[in-house]
Amino acid sequence: MIASAPAGADPSRAIAYARQPANRARWIGQLGELLTFASISALPKHRADVRAAAEWLAGHLARLGLDGSRLVPGIDGGPPSVYADWRHAPGQPTVLLYGHFDVQPAEQKDGWQTDPFRPTRVGETIVARGASDDKGQFFAHLKAIDSYLRTDGRLPINVKVWLEGEEEVGSPHLESFLDRYPDLLRADATLVSDTEMAGRGQPSIVVSLRGMLIADLRVRSGASDVHSGRFGGAVINPIHVLCRMLASLHDQSGHIAVPGFYQRIPDTPRVFTSLERRTIRPAIDVNGIAGGYVAGSKTVIPAEAMARLSARLVPQQDPREIAEKLRCHFRAVTPAGVRARFTISTGSRPTTIPRDHPAMHAAVRAVTRAWGVPPRFTCSGGTIAPVEALQRRLHVPVVLMGFGLPDDNIHAPNERLHLPEFFRGVETVTHFLAECAR
Ligand SMILES: [Zn+2]
């Protein structure tokens, strides 16, 4: 699309467009289409759904009027991502808009009241997997672009859109992606909407994210399962061993008991609040345990048991160093007679977001215009691996301006998007693009 001379950064026509009920109704319909794809990156059987969501988005970005909309092939068998841009604002900064179209697993039997991939309107919400994390949130970016291109025929600044398909599994190919496409995502700033606000009408900008480590611990005692009537009481049960090893991770008060785990962070003896423990303090959790037989009655002593762990890390904690401390700890507590194997699947570093750069100032002004109150700066306990990688690899300042609510049920049954926050999010991003213009 060829643009005329800069028209100034006046978002008023785009904002008026974004408020028209007919446009809002159409956008809800479009988002509903996107939410029908079961784009679950964690499960290989949904590979085709991940790809179908990517193809739908590439078509949507092209129809918005963005240039060069395409699927970027995944690295080493990873899922494709989607890229498009609009670069017709010479002299203006370039902002990368990031989102992820992959979602967490969801099945109705997990406690969903509706089919997770049949979006359902409930009051002022849309209930569907991915409605808030992250399809609905990055859709606010796309509809801000839509509003400008349908009214002014141009954007106030240059924009790149990159939508990822493996964020929910820790973006394992991102480093290789940045090696292969070193310039594709280069920008003056990145906007990410994949976080939540402090509450309704309480916009916030996240300024720190915890890092993460995902690991498996396997304990094996023999070559095959044996009968508990013939061997019970005489042989080692790897589930018992695994449970003791997992229990050794914490002391009675919940303090992490892995030697050296707190080495680089202040570990004052004071009691931390619940909020602090969820955001600025590290944690180790067992996410799941597998082993033995529970589907019916089968008196068996299993040969193997496994657990998946995740650790949330805070600044100064390096995932590789923590992985090594965990490995040493498990080696020290492995009893004779079993083999324990500890493997890391992904690790990402904690992130602190600098507040003093033009895009952050633009975001504060945009939030204040759209919501009537300035944003709070908050710390998130979550992890968004690409944020850390983009900052470190491309030196791109990141703005984490999300429009989710604490009760959106992300990663849980009955995930939902609050439409008033979504529409206000569209207006906020519309203001943000104008505020970034020089
Ligand atoms: Zn997300």
Side-chain angles (χ1 to χ4, degrees):
M1 178 175 292
I2 305 302
S4 51
D10 174 8
S12 58
R13 287 170 300 274
I15 296 277
Y17 184 87
R19 288 181 178 170
Q20 284 171 22
N23 296 332
R24 290 182 164 193
R26 190 173 62 255
W27 295 349
I28 292 175
Q30 293 167 345
L31 178 58
E33 276 183 48
L34 176 60
L35 290 169
T36 59
F37 296 102
S39 45
I40 303 166
S41 51
L43 302 175
K45 67 175 179 179
H46 286 287
R47 282 183 69 94
D49 298 312
V50 174
R51 191 176 179 89
E55 283 168 352
W56 186 94
L57 280 164
H60 192 74
L61 296 183
R63 280 193 299 279
L64 289 185
L66 295 174
D67 300 317
S69 180
R70 62 188 181 272
L71 262 57
V72 186
I75 310 268
D76 296 333
S81 57
V82 183
Y83 176 88
D85 58 27
W86 190 95
R87 304 169 78 177
H88 307 292
Q92 293 295 344
T94 300
V95 168
L96 172 69
L97 303 175
Y98 166 88
H100 67 86
F101 57 86
D102 64 320
V103 299
Q104 285 277 314
E107 287 185 59
Q108 202 157 353
K109 66 174 169 57
D110 300 337
W112 285 78
Q113 276 147 19
T114 54
D115 181 338
F117 297 103
R118 184 176 287 185
T120 310
R121 183 80 179 260
V122 179
E124 289 191 311
T125 69
I126 295 180
V127 179
R129 172 57 88 222
S132 173
D133 181 13
D134 178 44
K135 289 170 175 170
Q137 291 213 42
F138 75 69
F139 213 65
H141 298 180
L142 306 188
K143 296 301 108 178
I145 292 173
D146 206 355
S147 300
Y148 276 113
L149 294 181
R150 292 291 165 276
T151 52
D152 298 342
R154 65 185 322 283
L155 301 178
I157 57 168
N158 302 295
V159 159
K160 294 179 170 184
V161 176
W162 186 57
L163 304 172
E164 199 199 4
E166 55 176 9
E167 193 276 342
E168 295 293 3
V169 289
S171 305
H173 300 101
L174 186 61
E175 300 283 347
S176 327
F177 185 94
L178 294 172
D179 290 339
R180 185 170 307 175
Y181 307 105
D183 296 317
L184 188 70
L185 306 184
R186 231 171 256 293
D188 296 298
T190 300
L191 175 65
V192 178
S193 297
D194 193 16
T195 49
E196 63 188 32
M197 309 197 305
R200 297 206 88 160
Q202 299 172 355
S204 57
I205 291 177
V206 167
V207 290
S208 76
L209 293 164
R210 290 195 286 189
M212 186 166 64
L213 196 64
I214 298 178
D216 286 355
L217 177 64
R218 280 175 193 281
V219 175
R220 193 162 184 91
S221 61
S224 65
D225 297 359
V226 295
H227 187 330
S228 70
R230 291 189 61 199
F231 294 95
V235 300
I236 295 173
N237 185 323
I239 297 181
H240 301 187
V241 173
L242 177 72
C243 290
R244 277 199 300 275
M245 291 174 75
L246 295 175
S248 75
L249 289 168
H250 299 89
D251 68 15
Q252 293 293 336
S253 62
H255 214 70
I256 293 163
V258 177
F261 184 85
Y262 293 106
Q263 192 182 334
R264 300 194 186 282
I265 55 172
D267 181 33
T268 51
R270 81 177 169 89
V271 175
F272 291 94
T273 65
S274 169
L275 180 65
E276 287 171 327
R277 280 183 274 137
R278 297 190 278 120
T279 55
I280 58 167
R281 296 291 298 170
I284 298 179
D285 278 285
V286 179
N287 304 126
I289 297 185
Y293 191 84
V294 291
S297 177
K298 183 181 172 195
T299 49
V300 72
I301 299 172
E304 188 180 74
M306 70 82 70
R308 180 153 301 156
L309 314 169
S310 65
R312 299 286 178 166
L313 309 175
V314 298
Q316 277 80 54
Q317 285 187 307
D318 176 52
R320 276 167 308 183
E321 195 180 43
I322 295 297
E324 212 35 55
K325 291 194 190 309
L326 278 165
R327 190 185 306 281
C328 290
H329 174 75
F330 284 133
R331 198 178 293 141
V333 298
T334 304
V338 299
R339 285 193 312 277
R341 199 153 53 92
F342 179 68
T343 49
I344 302 290
S345 53
T346 51
S348 44
R349 295 178 180 83
T351 321
T352 306
I353 311 277
R355 293 191 210 182
D356 194 21
H357 58 80
M360 189 63 95
H361 301 157
V364 171
R365 292 194 299 272
V367 167
T368 309
R369 284 187 194 285
W371 297 81
V373 289
R376 300 182 188 189
F377 289 105
T378 54
C379 299
S380 167
T383 305
I384 309 172
V387 172
E388 191 278 332
L390 290 171
Q391 280 201 162
R392 174 172 41 83
R393 293 285 301 268
L394 301 179
H395 310 289
V396 179
V398 176
V399 175
L400 282 166
M401 184 168 73
F403 308 110
L405 285 179
D407 63 353
D408 278 352
N409 302 326
I410 63 166
H411 294 211
N414 306 307
E415 179 177 348
R416 59 191 181 167
L417 176 73
H418 287 73
L419 290 170
E421 277 66 25
F422 167 76
F423 291 123
R424 196 69 72 92
V426 175
E427 291 187 27
T428 313
V429 178
T430 304
H431 280 297
F432 175 71
L433 297 180
E435 292 292 339
C436 284
R438 296 195 175 100

